[in-house]
Amino acid sequence: MKRFTIFGLVLALAIVTGLNFADIASAQEERSDTTFESTDDSVRSPESVLLTEDFTYAAGSLISANGWTVYSGTGTNPMVTSAPGLTYTGYAGSAIGNAVVMGTTGEDASRPYAPQSSGTVYASAMVNLSEASADPAGGYFFHIGADPVGTAFRCRTFAKRDGSNNVSFGISKASTSEVTFTPFSYALNTTHLLVVKYTIVAGDTNDTCVLFVNPALGGAEPAATATATDVTAADIVPGTVSLRQGTTGTAPALTVDGLRVGTAWADIAGGGGGGPAVGPKLFNARLSGANEVPANSTTGFGYGRVALNAAETQITVSVYWNGLTGNATAGHIHGPAATTANGPVIFNLAPAAAASGSVVNSTFAVTPAQVADMKAGLWYFNIHTAANAGGEIRGQIGKNTPRFDTDGDGDSDYGIVRPGSGGAGGVTTWYTSLNSGTPNDPHTVNQWGTNADVITPGDFDGDGKDDIAFWRPTGTPAFFILRSSTSTLQQVTFGLQGDDPTIVGDYSGDGKDDPAIYRAGATASSQSFFWTFPSSGPLQNVQVVQAWGAGSDFAVPGDYDGDGRHDLVVARNIGGVNTFIMFSSQSQISYTSFGIGSGSSPDRAVPGDYDGDGRTDFAITRNEGGAIAWWYRPSAGGPDTRVAWGVAGSDIESQGDYDGDGKTDPAIWRPAGGSMFYALTGPTTVRFQRWGLATDQPSIYDLHGE
C-alpha cells in the first residue's frame, strides 16, 4: 500500500496581470482483464479514404505537375488550376483550394489511388457546367479506371442539355451509347455534387456502376439517381480517377473541384465542417452557496450532471455534495428560473442525510417543454440543510463543455499548432477552425508561445470555452494562459524542467481547469507525484502535491467517478497487462486491468466519456495489423467496445466530442495526404475537416486527460 501525503506548500501564487492580450491575428488564412467484445466490426476506418484532391496548389499550376498523369492528348489544352474553388453546402471539399476548368479537345489526365480488388469504390466531385452539348448522346468528362489507366474506362459520367438549357447527367459502365440519363432537372452555371459508385461483384463481367446527383450528406447512403445498364462490360480493378476533355460538339465545358475517393459512403459524403451538430445531450452544474438566491457563505460545494436520452424522453441525474454545514435535508431540480430567481421543484432527488454524499443515476421522464427549459438553462440543482432551509448550495444546469471547445458551442473544434521559423525560439501559431456547423467554418489565428513550449489548452477561467495555453519548461517554468473571457494573460509559475504539464484538469470541482504537472519518479520504482494548483477551495492558489504512481507509470487523470473533479490515475504494466490505478477525489483506491502493457506495440491511453454518462471511461488504442483499434469500457455498464479507426504509426489520436452529443468520438488527425481530421461520430457517420499542414501538431492531442 502506498502512503499518501498532501503538502500545502505555498511555493508560488498565480501571477495574474491586467495586460490586454487580444488575438494577435484573426484572418481568413489556410487553414489482464483483456477479454474484449466488438460492438460493430462493420465500421469503416478512415484509411478507407483513398484520395482527396482539392487543388490546393497555386492558380495557374499544371495538374500534370501535381500528381496527375496525362494519358491522352499530351500538350493540347493542358488542364491548370483556377481560382476560386467551388462551394457546395455540407460537402467536406467545399471552398478549399482552387479548381480545374475543363474544355474540349485537350489533355486527359488521371490520378491514382490504392487499387481495390473487392468491395466498393465511391468517387465524388463538385462540378459546375458553363456549357453542355444538345447532342442526345451527350459527352463524358469523368471516369474510373485501372492503374495504370489503360483504355478500360468505367463509370463514365456524361452531361447534356435540352433546348431550354436544362442539364441531364448520365452514367454507363463502359459504353458511350448505352447510357442511363437523369431527367433534365439541373441547371448550367450551378454547382452540383456528383458521386459515382463502382461495386465489385464476385465473378466476371458483372460489376456495377451507379450515379448520385446532389445526394443528402451526413446520413445513410440514399437511392441512386441513375443506374448503368451495360453490366456485362469487362470488370476492372479500380485504381484511378480521370478528368476527360472530350470531342468538340459533344463534351461539356465545366469546372471541377473537391475530388474524394473512398470505399464507404461516409468517406465522401459523411459530412464535413458543414454538417450540423446534434447536441448537446449532456448537461452539468457546479453547486455553491454563492449561487443561491440570496447567496450564503457556506464553504460546501457540489457537482451535478443530467444525461438526456436520444429520444429526449428521459433524463438520468447524478449529484454530489461536499462539506455542508450539516446533513442534507432535501435535494431537488428546480425550474424554470434564471440564475437570479427561484423556481418551483420539478424533481425530488431524495438525497441521503449526510454532509457529504451523492445521488447517482436517478431517472425521470421529461416532456418536450421541460427539455426546452433545460436546454435554455432554466433548471438548477438545489441541496437543502437545516441551517439553510431554502437551499445551501445551488447550481444552474448548462450544457457540457467538451475537450477543445474554444467557442463554447458544445462541440470540439479543429485546431492545430504550427511551429515558427528559427528553431526553439520560433513563435508558434494556433489555427483553430470553429466547428460551427456551417459550410465554411470561421476560424481564429493566434500567435502564442514558442517551439520549445508544451501546448496545454483548457478552460482556466470557467467561461465554457477552452483557453489557448502553454507551459514553458525553460528558465523558471510557468503556464501562460490567454483567458478567453477577458483576453488577458494569466501566468502561473509552476513545475520543474522534466515535468509533464499535459495533465491540466478540474481538480477542485469549480468548473475551471487547474494548472497541474506530473513528476515521474527518477527510476521505474521511484515515487511519482501529482502537483496541482487549485482555482478554488481551502487550498486556492496553493501548489498542492500528492504522491501517486511510480516512475514507470503514465499519468491518465480524468473524472472517472463522475463527481466533477479530476481523479489521480496512472497506467502501469503489471505482468504484461495495462492496469489503471486510481486514487479518486472521493479518496477511494481502485485497480482496473484493461489492455496490453508490454510488447512491441503497447496500448496507449485515450481517456474520454465515450458513453456520454458524464464519467471518464477507461480507454486505450492498439495497433491491430497496422490499424488503430479503439477499446473502451463504458462506465455506464455493458461490454467492452472496439472500434477500428485510423492508421497506426502515422495518424494521431485526437478524440473529442465533435458532434456535441455529450459523447467522446474516436478521432484522428492525419498529417499526410491533405492534413485531415476524421471523427467517427456514429456507427456509420464520419465528420471530417481538412486543416493544417503535415508539420503541424493537433491542439487537442495529449493522451492524458479528457
Side-chain angles (χ1 to χ4, degrees):
M1 179 67 66
K2 293 186 182 295
R3 184 169 59 91
F4 304 97
T5 53
I6 299 179
F7 304 98
L9 301 178
V10 186
L11 300 182
L13 297 179
I15 302 172
V16 182
T17 76
L19 171 66
N20 286 324
F21 219 95
D23 289 352
I24 302 299
S26 182
Q28 295 298 316
E29 295 186 25
E30 70 145 335
R31 347 191 239 214
S32 185
D33 177 32
T34 55
T35 302
F36 301 114
E37 295 181 30
S38 173
T39 60
D40 187 358
D41 282 328
S42 65
V43 174
R44 301 305 298 254
S45 295
E47 61 264 28
S48 61
V49 179
L50 303 173
L51 172 67
T52 60
E53 172 59 279
D54 294 310
F55 304 106
T56 53
Y57 22 100
S61 300
L62 291 167
I63 68 170
S64 60
N66 289 276
W68 291 78
T69 300
V70 175
Y71 64 89
S72 178
T74 303
T76 302
N77 190 22
M79 284 182 278
V80 299
T81 52
S82 176
L86 299 179
T87 61
Y88 187 92
T89 301
Y91 183 55
S94 179
I96 300 175
N98 293 312
V100 168
V101 178
M102 298 170 56
T104 61
T105 312
E107 286 186 349
D108 304 330
S110 67
R111 177 129 189 205
Y113 49 86
Q116 303 297 300
S117 58
S118 63
T120 303
V121 173
Y122 295 83
S124 61
M126 295 177 287
V127 300
N128 190 306
L129 278 65
S130 58
E131 182 57 85
S133 171
D135 189 307
Y140 73 95
F141 56 91
F142 181 81
H143 64 76
I144 288 174
D147 183 23
V149 65
T151 58
F153 305 154
R154 298 296 178 261
C155 290
R156 301 187 198 224
T157 307
F158 295 73
K160 63 181 180 179
R161 64 171 175 83
D162 63 11
S164 300
N165 284 333
N166 300 307
V167 173
S168 168
F169 294 103
I171 187 76
S172 73
K173 181 179 178 183
S175 176
T176 57
S177 58
E178 188 180 343
V179 182
T180 302
F181 281 98
T182 70
F184 289 96
S185 303
Y186 309 101
L188 294 173
N189 302 305
T190 300
T191 298
H192 301 288
L193 179 63
L194 304 185
V195 182
V196 298
K197 175 185 178 182
Y198 185 99
T199 302
I200 300 170
V201 181
D204 299 322
T205 63
N206 55 2
D207 293 352
T208 63
C209 288
V210 299
L211 172 68
F212 305 85
V213 182
N214 298 337
L217 298 175
E221 179 179 325
T225 311
T227 300
T229 57
D230 57 330
V231 177
T232 58
D235 300 337
I236 65 168
V237 175
T240 58
V241 289
S242 296
L243 300 177
R244 176 181 182 267
Q245 299 184 108
T247 305
T248 301
T250 59
L254 72 159
T255 301
V256 178
D257 190 14
L259 282 164
R260 296 286 187 274
V261 181
T263 61
W265 177 258
D267 295 337
I268 50 86
V278 300
K281 297 293 186 181
L282 186 68
F283 305 79
N284 55 31
R286 307 287 173 167
L287 285 68
S288 69
N291 293 335
E292 291 285 354
V293 180
N296 62 61
S297 59
T298 181
T299 58
F301 63 95
Y303 170 78
R305 67 174 184 272
V306 179
L308 178 65
N309 70 346
E312 299 193 349
T313 58
Q314 179 179 282
I315 57 173
T316 301
V317 178
S318 297
V319 63
Y320 299 78
W321 63 94
N322 293 270
L324 303 182
T325 57
N327 290 342
T329 57
H332 311 99
I333 291 179
H334 295 249
T339 56
T340 56
N342 293 314
V345 172
I346 308 174
F347 303 111
N348 182 7
L349 303 178
S356 296
S358 63
V359 174
V360 180
N361 293 338
S362 293
T363 59
F364 303 94
V366 290
T367 67
Q370 288 174 326
V371 171
D373 284 344
M374 180 176 66
K375 289 182 176 181
L378 298 177
W379 284 9
Y380 62 90
F381 284 100
N382 201 17
I383 305 297
H384 308 255
T385 62
N388 292 280
E392 180 158 328
I393 56 173
R394 165 180 169 162
Q396 208 78 7
I397 299 173
K399 68 179 183 298
N400 183 56
T401 301
R403 294 181 66 215
F404 204 68
D405 177 9
T406 61
D407 55 357
D409 64 353
D411 51 38
S412 299
D413 297 317
Y414 306 99
I416 57 93
V417 177
R418 180 165 302 164
S421 60
V427 177
T428 59
T429 304
W430 299 62
Y431 294 88
T432 304
S433 176
L434 304 179
N435 186 6
S436 63
T438 58
N440 300 302
D441 288 336
H443 61 274
T444 62
V445 183
N446 293 274
Q447 290 184 313
W448 191 244
T450 70
N451 299 343
D453 299 331
V454 181
I455 63 173
T456 57
D459 182 10
F460 295 92
D461 54 7
D463 65 349
K465 303 177 183 180
D466 266 20
D467 307 309
I468 291 173
F470 63 84
W471 182 73
R472 180 161 293 165
T474 57
T476 302
F479 286 88
F480 293 83
I481 302 162
L482 181 57
R483 297 165 66 93
S484 57
S485 58
T486 59
S487 293
T488 57
L489 167 68
Q490 178 184 3
Q491 179 179 332
V492 181
T493 302
F494 199 30
L496 300 174
Q497 294 185 35
D499 291 341
D500 176 3
T502 62
I503 64 164
V504 296
D506 185 4
Y507 294 88
S508 51
D510 61 354
K512 302 177 184 180
D513 283 326
D514 304 313
I517 58 96
Y518 176 69
R519 184 168 298 161
T523 67
S525 59
S526 297
Q527 181 70 63
S528 296
F529 299 89
F530 283 79
W531 292 73
T532 61
F533 194 77
S535 52
S536 65
L539 296 176
Q540 180 179 3
N541 293 343
V542 173
Q543 293 195 15
V544 178
V545 60
Q546 184 153 338
W548 191 246
S552 61
D553 296 341
F554 186 77
V556 284
D559 184 13
Y560 292 85
D561 58 6
D563 69 348
R565 294 180 290 173
H566 265 42
D567 307 302
L568 310 185
V569 182
V570 295
R572 178 178 302 171
N573 177 4
I574 300 179
V577 177
N578 186 65
T579 303
F580 291 88
I581 308 173
M582 179 169 69
F583 182 61
S584 77
S585 52
Q586 302 290 323
S587 299
Q588 301 296 313
I589 300 172
S590 64
Y591 291 74
T592 301
S593 299
F594 190 73
I596 300 171
S598 63
S600 58
S601 298
D603 294 339
R604 294 153 63 92
V606 285
D609 183 10
Y610 294 88
D611 58 1
D613 69 343
R615 292 174 286 177
T616 302
D617 302 313
F618 297 108
I620 56 92
T621 58
R622 175 181 301 164
N623 182 343
E624 294 186 1
I628 297 174
W630 298 68
W631 292 90
Y632 69 89
R633 175 165 297 169
S635 53
D640 296 339
T641 300
R642 174 190 179 275
V643 177
W645 198 243
V647 177
S650 58
D651 294 343
I652 297 175
E653 293 96 330
S654 303
Q655 73 273 18
D657 181 9
Y658 291 91
D659 59 355
D661 65 350
K663 300 179 181 179
T664 298
D665 306 310
I668 56 94
W669 181 69
R670 177 168 295 168
S675 301
M676 296 277 287
F677 282 90
Y678 294 94
L680 183 64
T681 59
T684 59
T685 304
V686 183
R687 292 176 69 85
F688 42 86
Q689 177 77 359
R690 184 165 189 169
W691 198 241
L693 302 176
T695 53
D696 297 335
Q697 177 182 349
S699 309
I700 203 168
Y701 173 61
D702 60 38
L703 291 179
H704 293 279
E706 298 177 83

